[in-house]
Amino acid sequence: MPCQSKFTAVWFACLALVGCFGGVMPEAPRPAVASRPSQRQASDVRIEWGRVQSATGCALDYAWYRPDSAKPGDLVVLAHGFLRDKTRLSGLARALAETGISVVTVDFCNTRPWRGNHARNGFDLIAVANRLEARRLVYAGFSAGGLAALVAARNDPRTLGVLTLDLVDAQDLGRLMVREFDRPVIGLFGEPAPCNADNNGLATLAAARRARVERIVGASHCDFESPTDWLCRALCESDRAGERQRRAAILARSVTAIRALMAE
């Protein structure tokens, strides 16, 4: 797919330069033992880091945002985009947690520059939800992470609904997942561009039984990350004018959409 191809080319170039992400600050030190997660308290939101093993054997690191007022068993699972990481949705995670919703962000471990493994990523999201003993779930994701969220939602009977952020489909996997899916799907979309495969996710949601599309006028693919970084901007953002306002609007709409889905 176009977005994946662009990221792949840059990824290999970065490897030659000792890695694109070497200078990016991690969200927190990753725990060495999954059964002893590390914790940090910030206002009334506790953040807990842990690790779950994928069925393929690799480690899925997660950050669990746990507000004191969260309803036990309720959980939002956030999925990052292709070759990204969970820090790129930390802003949305915190915004949701500050409204009293428990949220987890996950680092995919089965994605490769040459292969997205989107279906596997979806089942990995379910594995994290199982570890956290979720009973009522909303899956949400950015770009290819939205595709993984659809896979997870379609295969998890606890799902209340799905939020996709500038969804990118691959080989019609998303369209396959939404057929016969009877839960609501909300999709926020920016302007068509190579990095969102010219809005190919719109066709995916058009095949869903209960879909709602919201367009964010002028939004680039990067506007749906919170925060984004120089790499996404270099690949996917030709004009940064108004990005703060657009990102704030996307964050607010995302929180509203997820709260509505949790009320289903």
Side-chain angles (χ1 to χ4, degrees), residues 77-231:
V77 181
L78 299 184
H80 62 75
F82 178 67
L83 295 183
R84 307 298 275 165
D85 62 56
K86 65 181 181 298
T87 64
R88 297 301 152 205
L89 291 175
S90 59
L92 176 56
R94 179 163 290 283
L96 287 165
E98 288 176 352
T99 71
I101 297 174
S102 180
V103 187
V104 64
T105 57
V106 182
D107 277 340
F108 291 133
C109 63
N110 284 295
T111 296
R112 300 293 180 266
W114 55 89
R115 186 176 181 185
N117 283 324
H118 308 297
R120 178 69 264 163
N121 291 342
F123 284 98
D124 285 344
L125 295 177
I126 295 174
V128 173
N130 290 342
R131 168 61 64 88
L132 302 184
E133 300 181 345
R135 295 191 295 274
R136 300 172 71 251
L137 283 149
V138 167
Y139 288 101
F142 161 67
S143 190
L147 180 53
L150 289 174
V151 172
R154 178 65 179 82
N155 291 280
D156 190 341
R158 301 167 296 180
T159 300
L160 301 174
V162 185
L163 172 69
T164 65
L165 302 173
D166 219 26
L167 171 66
V168 174
D169 203 347
Q171 299 177 324
D172 287 334
L173 176 61
R175 276 200 265 191
L176 177 63
M177 291 298 102
V178 298
R179 290 173 191 163
E180 309 303 321
F181 183 58
D182 62 355
R183 299 295 182 179
V185 181
I186 301 174
L188 306 188
F189 287 91
E191 301 294 344
C195 281
N196 62 19
D198 292 318
N199 278 158
N200 78 343
L202 288 172
T204 301
L205 265 61
R209 287 183 173 182
R210 299 174 60 187
R212 187 176 87 232
V213 170
E214 297 184 22
R215 303 301 298 263
I216 313 297
V217 177
S220 75
H221 202 50
C222 306
D223 287 334
F224 292 86
E225 291 189 314
S226 53
T228 193
D229 65 357
W230 68 269
L231 178 59

Side-chain angles (χ1 to χ4, degrees), residues 21-34:
F21 301 109
V24 178
M25 289 296 291
E27 195 169 37
R30 292 174 177 174
V33 181

